[in-house]
Amino acid sequence: MKESIGRYGIFSGALRSENPERRGERAEAASELEELGYGAIWLGGNSAAHNAAPLIEATSRIVVGTGIQSIWMYEPEASATSFKELDSAHPGRFALGLGVSHARLAEQYRRPYSALVTYLDALDRAGVPQQGRLLAALGPKTTELARDRAAGAIPYLITAEQTARSRELLGEEPLLAPELKVILESDPTRARTLARDFLALYLSLPNYTNNLLRNGFTEDDLKDGGSDRLIDAVCAWGDETTIRARINDFHEAGADHVALQVVDGGGREDLSREAWRKLASLLA
């Protein structure tokens, strides 16, 4: 998988939408992302194989992954069946990204680490290969689980510094593909306002806030939408040179691939196609 997805991908919640009226637009956007040279599409929200399938069918090379599929929302046997069907039709082009989600979003949320281990055990029994799945690993234990029971880790809302620590835990071979928010805006006030509006939900979820605290931020950094220090650590914004350098920070810290999520103030189903084009040009 590491070789097939390249250095950059696009993370998008809009591309996982199931709105039938925009099915053609999503397929066109996926095809264009492939033409632009991105190696992967990561579907935000609670996504699954049925969200990935239309994008895979509309393209010829790009890998499509769930970012993430909640273990609480899909039984492992059903996940295994859908994985094997999609992988059989399009070998190596679907990445099953799994995570434990959040207590607020899953009524049955209990002992998440143990539940994830049990889920992986069931996938093993159902014949889903380790190299076909990835874990949304934030803490050390889950990162080690991604090393031992999956193809690697796809952590969300982390810094370059944590990327380096994740690489140490994973070792050299497993895939490390952190998500990074990109704001194509050089005005500090505008960029940070967009970031704070977007991060409001995430900074209310303990899995993320606890991880940020574990990685050197303080309670003050989490207030009022996030301090400048926090915003600048988890988002890339500025002119082209600055944004390119921030993305490179993650690669230099040990990321094999960076899943780039454009933050532009658009709606949940808005496809940031012009921004994706600008970003591809910036990275060329």
Side-chain angles (χ1 to χ4, degrees):
M1 187 183 300
K2 189 184 294 190
E3 294 75 18
S4 61
I5 67 171
R7 288 171 60 82
Y8 308 107
I10 288 296
F11 187 106
S12 170
L15 282 170
R16 74 158 296 280
S17 168
E18 298 181 28
N19 181 348
E21 296 181 0
R22 305 191 69 174
R23 184 180 295 118
E25 184 183 1
R26 292 193 299 273
E28 289 176 6
S31 180
E32 183 179 19
L33 288 174
E34 182 172 80
E35 292 174 5
L36 289 170
Y38 293 106
I41 294 168
W42 302 97
L43 302 178
N46 179 29
S47 46
H50 72 271
N51 301 114
L55 306 184
I56 292 174
E57 292 164 359
T59 53
S60 61
R61 171 193 53 80
I62 200 166
V63 172
V64 182
T66 53
I68 50 106
Q69 178 180 302
S70 169
I71 65 169
W72 312 106
M73 300 300 292
Y74 296 90
E75 293 296 326
E77 294 77 14
S79 295
T81 297
S82 59
F83 173 89
K84 289 188 286 187
E85 289 176 350
L86 190 51
D87 189 62
S88 176
H90 305 278
R93 297 199 46 220
F94 174 57
L96 179 59
L98 296 168
V100 299
S101 188
H102 305 273
R104 181 192 298 182
L105 305 178
E107 183 178 345
Q108 63 272 56
Y109 192 95
R110 302 286 189 281
R111 297 172 55 85
Y113 179 83
S114 296
L116 181 56
V117 171
T118 299
Y119 202 96
L120 293 174
D121 290 342
L123 292 182
D124 285 344
R125 291 192 297 271
V128 175
Q130 179 172 313
Q131 289 307 307
R133 61 205 194 201
L134 297 158
L135 302 186
L138 292 178
K141 285 181 63 178
T142 311
T143 302
E144 290 172 348
L145 190 66
R147 176 194 66 202
D148 298 336
R149 302 288 306 277
I154 48 170
Y156 188 92
L157 193 63
I158 71 167
T159 64
E161 290 75 18
Q162 185 179 351
T163 298
R165 288 189 284 275
S166 295
R167 173 52 70 196
E168 290 178 5
L169 288 171
L170 286 171
E172 183 177 347
E173 290 303 317
L175 175 72
L176 177 55
E179 175 269 350
L180 174 63
K181 293 161 188 61
V182 177
I183 305 168
L184 298 174
E185 174 61 63
S186 57
D187 177 78
T189 300
R190 174 65 177 158
R192 289 174 177 144
T193 296
L194 285 169
R196 289 187 175 102
D197 289 345
F198 191 84
L199 288 173
L201 168 64
Y202 302 101
L203 294 185
S204 70
L205 297 172
N207 287 3
Y208 290 128
T209 56
N210 290 341
N211 183 63
L212 292 168
L213 293 171
R214 187 167 55 236
N215 282 279
F217 292 98
T218 68
E219 293 287 355
D220 286 341
D221 286 312
L222 305 179
K223 294 178 180 177
D224 303 319
S227 67
D228 287 355
R229 180 170 85 104
L230 187 149
I231 296 297
D232 296 351
V234 299
C235 301
W237 63 269
D239 60 22
E240 290 190 0
T241 300
T242 302
I243 290 173
R244 189 183 302 111
R246 289 289 295 117
I247 296 170
N248 286 341
D249 287 344
F250 281 74
H251 281 295
E252 291 173 2
D256 301 296
H257 173 97
V258 183
L260 302 167
Q261 180 172 199
V262 168
V263 174
D264 55 11
R268 292 182 62 183
E269 292 197 3
D270 291 344
L271 298 170
S272 303
R273 296 181 67 174
E274 182 58 33
W276 294 339
R277 294 177 194 128
K278 291 180 180 178
L279 191 52
S281 176
L282 180 158
L283 295 170

